[in-house]
DNA sequence: AGCACGCCGACT
DNA sequence: GTCGGCGTGCTC
């Protein structure tokens, strides 16, 4: 050991001792005399080192720089030749903690500014965001960006209203239709944290039931959070809550309010001025005080998956919150997801479902037909409807509106063999063929190769058919088939909230079905079911059933003449589950199958996507937990559409090792970034499009 | 990510 | 001898 090293160590030791005794800031700043160190989360996204930095608290900010406030700090500057700190760009950050000392051996830069004295990052919110970041192999800064809306100074200036006293315990209302419903409510009202998977009865009662669960929770002096998949369902629960509790006890956190109004409402929740929050997926992080219940409606809806890194899912965040904050949980909808079924099977939640006979009385009558059963009637043929569907619609139109669900919007369909329905694929690359235009040859949607001589690879037929006919064309054709009936359409571009209780054809894509005022639809036709079921996706059956049940739940009960016709293969499991109206049973069987195949949610999966070299590089770096499987990598169509060769590998671990998998992926990602080798890799926990 | 420090080639 | 290549590592 050289003498220089010894001296260096000694110097470091002395500096350390000085540090612990009293933190020292860059020259010329007078420090706060109590807790002069602020631990700060610097909001610099791709600063992949997901860690806190210590700053000195100037005396002038001693009171304001409380934990949870937004601050501005200099970051990344250099110590120049003069020994003075210079440069360093200003960044936003949050004070996470005030401390007496710092672990950092070096002069601390002072906080540049306290932006606001609002303590937006509460300890519970920080813990939640940390847990979400860990679960999804993401950074805390990314999650905070999803969790805390942008600041609007104007909103902070106004005081939030005084909180109203807790409401009285609500009557069970519609919950009386469920054997354990009243007990669930009274458990909430008594301050407990019951956890339930809810199989909601068909019909319009669910918003009010959610409102009663919220009211029961508020009655216990705690707060509640409800997350719904879209603005229309938020509006319905808002209405039900207002009817039950008046206004002033809940805030609606939906995207349609402007940013300032959104922040104002968020602050009202954060300050404890209102006890309940409802909204779409961003509301999953709402900082409700003393959370007693978290509700997720229709957890199978794909809009519960966040679109921003690290792509948290509302249901998973809700489960984390229930666990961390000791809250009850109500997860469910008209359909049941495999994940929800697993919560029941594992004993984490209890089923909240009605008796069979209640279900049978409230559900419509469901019949299946195959579309080989074509109608004789000329008008029915023009509408491409099987005769049973045609007859059902014709009869029901004398009594009220008829809902017609078509699986995808758009006019130009993809193509399949007219005889056996094998999808028409490009001979060059396997991509889907599409009609190039009026009288133009077929061409590939991926590579553009023209196909002039198509025949089916399975059966040799030369006949093509439109695999999916969109809402608009269906509307035109049905309009001709039922000449004197009004036709309305509801789809992605223009979604109707409701239709009047009068004869009309209502053509809708899944998820956009209007509610029929009054008793509900007289009938629903669910068309092109084979196209929904034929998707090469692990969730095809579950997803088809969820869409059908959601539409069919808007139809009158069988006793009031409600009828549903689904055009699909009658032996398919999802079709039979619809006929029996047994979503929980279907989810249970799907879960058995996933168990055997070790597919999610019976395992935890992650996908790793990028160039072949980058994926191989990351896979080589990973220190995966014991027993992890790596599936692939295999080529996948490039995301950007350009020719870059993209590959994807799936990594699968046992359910208990999800945290270890996420940690390994994050470590690997950070290592690659530090080495700066090659191009980026996208990591996704719980990838959606597997299978 | 920026941005500075550092250790090797062509120019005055 | 010096200017500058961008490879590597740190940022409180």
């Amino acid at each position: 050991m050289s003498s220089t090293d010894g001296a260096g160590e000694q110097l470091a030791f002395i500096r350390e001792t000085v540090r612990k005794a009293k933190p020292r800031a860059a020259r010329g700043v007078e420090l706060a005399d109590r807790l002069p160190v602020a631990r700060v989360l610097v909001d610099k996204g791709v600063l992949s080192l997901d860690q806190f930095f210590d700053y000195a608290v100037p005396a002038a900010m001693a009171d304001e720089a409380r934990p949870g406030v937004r601050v501005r700090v200099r970051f990344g500057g250099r110590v120049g030749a003069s020994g003075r700190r210079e440069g360093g760009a200003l960044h936003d950050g949050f004070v996470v903690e005030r401390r007496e000392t710092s672990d950092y051996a070096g002069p601390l830069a002072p906080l540049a500014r306290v932006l606001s004295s609002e303590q937006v990052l509460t300890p519970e919110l920080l813990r939640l965001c940390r847990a979400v970041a860990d679960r999804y192999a993401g950074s805390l800064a990314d999650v905070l960006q999803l969790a805390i809306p942008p600041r609007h100074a104007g909103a902070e200036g106004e005081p939030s209203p005084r909180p109203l006293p807790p409401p009285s315990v609500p009557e069970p209302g519609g919950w009386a239709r469920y054997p354990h419903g009243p007990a669930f409510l009274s458990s909430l009202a008594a301050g407990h944290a019951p956890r339930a998977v809810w199989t909601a009865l068909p019909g319009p009662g669910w918003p009010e039931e959610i409102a009663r669960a919220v009211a029961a929770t508020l009655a216990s002096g705690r707060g509640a959070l409800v997350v719904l998949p879209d603005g229309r369902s938020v509006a319905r629960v808002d209405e039900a809550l207002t009817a039950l509790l008046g206004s002033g006890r809940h805030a609606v956190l939906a995207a349609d309010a402007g940013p300032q109004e959104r922040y104002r409402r968020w602050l009202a929740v954060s300050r404890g001025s209102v006890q309940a929050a409802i909204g779409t997926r961003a509301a999953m992080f709402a900082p409700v005080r003393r959370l007693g219940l978290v509700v997720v409606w229709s957890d199978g809806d794909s809009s519960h998956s966040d679109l921003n890194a690290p792509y948290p899912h509302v249901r998973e965040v809700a489960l984390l919150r229930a666990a961390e904050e000791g809250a009850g949980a109500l997860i469910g909808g008209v359909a049941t997801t495999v994940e929800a079924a697993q919560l029941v099977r594992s004993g984490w939640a209890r089923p909240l479902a009605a008796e069979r006979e209640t279900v049978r009385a409230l559900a419509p009558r469901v019949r299946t037909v195959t579309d080989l059963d074509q109608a004789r009637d000329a008008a029915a043929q023009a509408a491409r409807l099987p005769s049973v569907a045609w007859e059902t619609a014709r009869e029901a139109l004398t009594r009220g509106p008829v809902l017609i669900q078509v699986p995808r919007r758009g006019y130009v369909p993809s193509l399949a063999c007219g005889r056996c329905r094998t999808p028409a694929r490009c001979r060059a690359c396997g991509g889907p063929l599409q009609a190039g235009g009026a009288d133009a040859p077929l061409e590939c949607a991926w590579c553009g190769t023209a196909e002039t001589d198509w025949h089916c690879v399975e059966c040799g037929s030369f006949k093509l058919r439109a695999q999916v006919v969109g809402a608009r064309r269906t509307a035109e054709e049905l309009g001709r088939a039922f000449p004197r009936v009004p036709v309305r359409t509801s789809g992605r571009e223009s979604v109707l909230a409701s239709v009047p209780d009068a004869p009309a054809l209502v053509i809708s894509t899944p998820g956009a079905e209007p509610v029929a005022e009054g008793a509900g639809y007289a009938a629903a036709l669910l068309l092109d079911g084979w196209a929904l079921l034929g998707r090469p996706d692990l969730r095809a059956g579950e997803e088809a059933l969820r869409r059908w049940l959601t539409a069919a739940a808007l139809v009158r009960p069988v006793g009031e003449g409600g009828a549903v016709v689904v055009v699909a293969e009658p032996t398919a499991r999802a079709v039979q589950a619809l006929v029996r109206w047994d979503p929980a049973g279907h989810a249970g069987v799907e879960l058995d199958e996933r168990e055997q195949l070790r597919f999610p949610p019976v395992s935890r999966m992650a996908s790793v996507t990028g160039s072949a070299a980058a994926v191989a590089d990351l896979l080589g770096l990973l220190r995966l937990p014991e027993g992890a499987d790596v599936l692939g990598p295999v080529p996948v169509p490039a995301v950007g559409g350009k020719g870059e060769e993209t590959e994807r590998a799936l990594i699968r671990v046992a359910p208990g090792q999800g945290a270890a998998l996420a940690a390994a992926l994050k470590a690997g990602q950070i290592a690659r970034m530090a080495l700066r080798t090659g191009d980026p890799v996208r990591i996704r926990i719980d990838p959606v499009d597997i299978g």
Side-chain angles (χ1 to χ4, degrees), chain A residues 408-431:
Chain A
R408 255 173 294 188
R409 78 207 153 81
Y411 201 87
V412 178
S414 67
L415 299 171
C417 171
R419 192 153 83 197
C420 71
R421 298 200 192 99
T422 301
R425 297 211 163 271
C426 171
R427 279 188 280 185
C429 77

Side-chain angles (χ1 to χ4, degrees), chain A residues 393-590:
Chain A
R394 201 166 57 97
E395 184 280 324
L397 279 170
T398 65
R399 298 181 288 116
V402 171
L403 176 66
I404 300 184
Q405 186 191 53
V406 296
R408 255 173 294 188
R409 78 207 153 81
Y411 201 87
V412 178
S414 67
L415 299 171
C417 171
R419 192 153 83 197
C420 71
R421 298 200 192 99
T422 301
R425 297 211 163 271
C426 171
R427 279 188 280 185
C429 77
L433 292 178
Q434 60 185 17
D439 287 344
L442 298 174
E443 61 182 37
C444 172
W446 291 354
C447 69
T449 304
E451 173 63 84
T452 52
D453 185 27
W454 181 85
H455 66 271
C456 177
V457 291
E458 288 297 320
C459 72
S461 166
F462 294 93
K463 205 175 151 199
L464 274 169
R465 70 166 269 165
Q467 188 169 13
V468 173
V469 176
R472 200 170 116 205
R473 184 153 135 208
T474 303
E476 286 168 11
E477 290 174 351
L478 287 166
R480 284 197 292 272
F482 298 98
R484 297 179 55 201
V485 179
V487 178
R488 296 169 209 279
T489 61
S490 181
R492 179 78 164 274
E493 316 81 39
S494 96
V495 179
L496 299 174
S498 65
V499 294
D501 184 13
L505 286 169
V506 182
I507 321 277
S508 173
T509 54
E513 297 89 355
V515 174
E517 286 159 14
Y521 290 100
L525 308 183
L526 312 174
L527 302 181
D528 288 330
W530 52 271
L532 260 183
L533 278 178
R535 285 163 48 230
D537 191 295
L538 192 59
R539 295 181 173 278
E542 184 187 339
E543 179 62 6
L545 179 59
R546 187 181 67 78
R547 292 174 172 202
W548 292 334
L549 287 168
T550 304
L554 303 174
V555 178
R556 299 170 192 176
V558 59
E560 296 169 41
V564 170
V565 176
V566 55
V567 181
E569 175 53 46
T571 59
R573 185 196 296 160
V575 179
Q576 296 192 341
L578 174 68
V579 172
R580 291 196 314 275
W581 205 282
D582 183 19
H586 182 266
V589 176
E590 287 273 315

